[in-house]
Amino acid sequence: MANNFEFYAPTRVIFGKGTEGRVGALAKEYGAKNILIVYGGKSAVRSGLLELVKKALEEEGLRHLELGGVVPNPRLDKVYEGIALGKREKVDFLLAVGGGSAIDTAKAIAYGLAEPEKDVWDLFAHTRTAQNCLPVASILTIAAAGSETSKGCVITNERTGEKRAYDDNLARPRFAVMNPEYTKTLPDYQTESGCVDIMMHTMERYFTGGGNMELTDAIAEGLLRTVMKNARILHQDPANYEARAEIMWAGSLAHNDLTGCGNDGGDFMSHKLEHEMGGMFNVTHGAGLAAVWPSWARHVYKNALPRFVRYARNVLGVAAEGSDEEIALLGIQEMESFYHSVGMPVNFSELGIRPTDAQIEEMAQRCLAACGGHTGSAKRLSPEDMIAVYKAARDGSV
Ligand code: NZQ
Ligand code: ZN
């Protein structure tokens, strides 16, 4: 049965080769006068993209300044630094060059500058909601988080180890420039982690306990099959433009809510569980998801059996005969084989972490707090369930 829904995807997408040259005209069109460019380590410098962007802005006479040094699992201190800089320099527009970490940092700075008298962390602690946000846009260099079109923003408070999300349409980027060419310099591990994240954004919306639409399912299944096929291609042939383009577009559609229309809001527990792993162990987001998903899936599949069977048949092509439970379990095994085939982990030891029992209990408590009452849809997870999933990922799935 289809639930009521609202679909709001206002981000203008400019996709393909050479599109970065249009950023000056685009920023001007959206009223930017004083732009803060936010980027990460050195990848955007090395590729020459940052220089091109600055040149394009200068050609339109737009003032700009820079904030580099954003790290994966982006940190609150960098956000505060950007807010202080933006206040001093009267910034009115945020332009991220990079992936989810640069874009989310830009979004958080945009929230902070729009309500300068308030602490931006309150949003992530869920003690208030944003009333305003400066305009944000992005030039994407990694297909993964989907932040270029999503309402999401994820920041880590490095002092407490809390990695927290704040979702609000106010921060949806005005435009996203996506040239797949720029993703060719990604290390394989980042490319494939990105592919896992893209799939997971769709799977979180697919494995639900209530509400589905045939069209949404068809879009989701097509997207998932396309990402798997092209993730395998890129594992062998990282310079393949066509595969890069497929993955990049999938990344945006997977997280702009298109694959959730008509469902009940999705499950999102693999994400919530992973965010705690990212906060505590600073793991790469997509790889962390791959490492926790199989244990989550084996823990919950009986509660959403028809969805797991459908997934096994329609996405993974499981053709074997058997009971629904057998087919669902075969599907989970197939996912593990796929993750392995593209160099992704399927448990904590392959991910390279070994949390103690005490750390697992802490992650579960924090996860519960971060959930704000929404603890899943395929199955609502209690803290004991969360601990069981983490322990299965650490000790080997049951
Ligand atoms: O910092 P640089 O030098 O740019 O290196 C980055 C970084 O090390 C590198 N990279 C990016 N583009 C590159 C490149 N290296 C070579 N060539 C390129 N073209 O890749 C590394 C990862 O970058 P990052 O921005 O961290 O990746 P991603 O896009 O996966 O973002 C991950 C963050 O987004 C959050 C994650 O939790 C994580 O913090 N998420 C944000 C969401 C949202 N806002 O809607 C939803 C997601 O579920 C996710 O939680
Ligand atoms: Zn994600």
Side-chain angles (χ1 to χ4, degrees), residues 73-387:
N73 294 319
R75 297 177 176 193
L76 183 60
D77 267 356
K78 186 54 81 178
V79 173
Y80 286 146
E81 188 187 332
I83 294 170
L85 178 64
K87 274 185 197 166
R88 245 185 356 257
E89 300 289 337
K90 304 202 171 12
V91 161
D92 60 15
F93 197 95
L94 279 294
L95 178 64
V97 180
S101 297
I103 302 170
D104 288 358
T105 302
K107 287 178 178 177
I109 296 170
Y111 283 126
L113 287 176
E115 296 186 90
E117 69 290 353
K118 296 180 181 154
D119 184 354
V120 72
W121 183 252
D122 298 344
L123 303 176
F124 301 90
H126 296 282
T127 54
R128 68 175 170 94
T129 54
Q131 302 304 309
N132 211 345
C133 184
L134 288 194
V136 178
S138 70
I139 302 181
L140 191 64
T141 66
I142 171 173
S147 187
E148 68 278 6
T149 57
S150 83
K151 63 182 172 189
C153 179
V154 187
I155 297 293
T156 297
N157 184 334
E158 59 277 26
R159 278 169 228 157
T160 61
E162 292 165 295
K163 181 174 175 178
R164 292 283 178 270
Y166 178 67
D167 291 351
D168 199 314
N169 281 326
L170 285 172
R172 294 232 191 215
R174 297 292 201 275
F175 63 82
V177 171
M178 300 187 214
N179 179 351
E181 290 278 1
Y182 281 102
T183 66
K184 287 183 180 173
T185 50
L186 279 163
D188 182 59
Y189 190 75
Q190 288 295 342
T191 296
E192 299 303 341
S193 293
C195 292
V196 174
D197 195 19
I198 293 166
M199 291 185 71
M200 282 301 310
H201 291 154
T202 300
M203 289 154 71
E204 298 279 22
R205 292 170 168 93
Y206 189 92
F207 292 108
T208 59
N212 301 107
M213 287 179 81
E214 192 181 324
L215 178 59
T216 301
D217 276 348
I219 293 169
E221 289 161 2
L223 187 150
L224 288 160
R225 288 192 302 266
T226 304
V227 174
M228 290 175 79
K229 176 181 163 196
N230 289 286
R232 287 193 175 105
I233 293 174
L234 290 179
H235 194 52
Q236 305 303 327
D237 180 14
N240 188 312
Y241 178 84
E242 298 304 321
R244 293 256 169 221
E246 299 286 351
I247 296 288
M248 198 171 216
W249 186 220
S252 296
L253 296 186
H255 206 31
N256 76 352
D257 295 333
L258 178 66
T259 59
C261 295
N263 77 10
D264 63 356
D267 186 87
F268 283 97
M269 284 315 294
S270 299
H271 263 75
K272 303 255 173 63
L273 292 164
E274 192 287 332
H275 280 173
E276 300 312 319
M277 293 150 56
M280 193 175 279
F281 298 101
N282 199 24
V283 297
T284 298
H285 174 60
L289 288 169
V292 81
W293 185 83
S295 299
W296 170 86
R298 288 196 175 87
H299 194 82
V300 310
Y301 77 96
K302 286 183 192 159
N303 296 71
L305 200 51
R307 302 301 291 164
F308 277 88
V309 172
R310 187 181 164 121
Y311 187 84
R313 297 284 193 213
N314 292 1
V315 177
L316 302 166
V318 172
E321 296 297 320
S323 68
D324 282 358
E325 287 201 15
E326 284 164 347
I327 301 304
L329 286 170
L330 274 175
I332 297 168
Q333 248 177 48
E334 273 297 308
M335 272 307 284
E336 290 177 316
S337 305
F338 164 70
Y339 286 151
H340 278 154
S341 76
V342 294
M344 284 288 107
V346 300
N347 55 44
F348 284 178
S349 70
E350 291 179 9
L351 181 65
I353 64 171
R354 182 147 188 94
T356 61
D357 285 356
Q359 285 173 320
I360 281 181
E361 275 159 35
E362 192 181 336
M363 287 197 289
Q365 282 311 323
R366 287 182 169 192
C367 185
L368 185 67
C371 283
H374 179 82
T375 55
S377 167
K379 174 176 163 59
R380 287 178 69 85
L381 298 191
S382 66
E384 292 70 35
D385 289 319
M386 296 174 193
I387 289 170

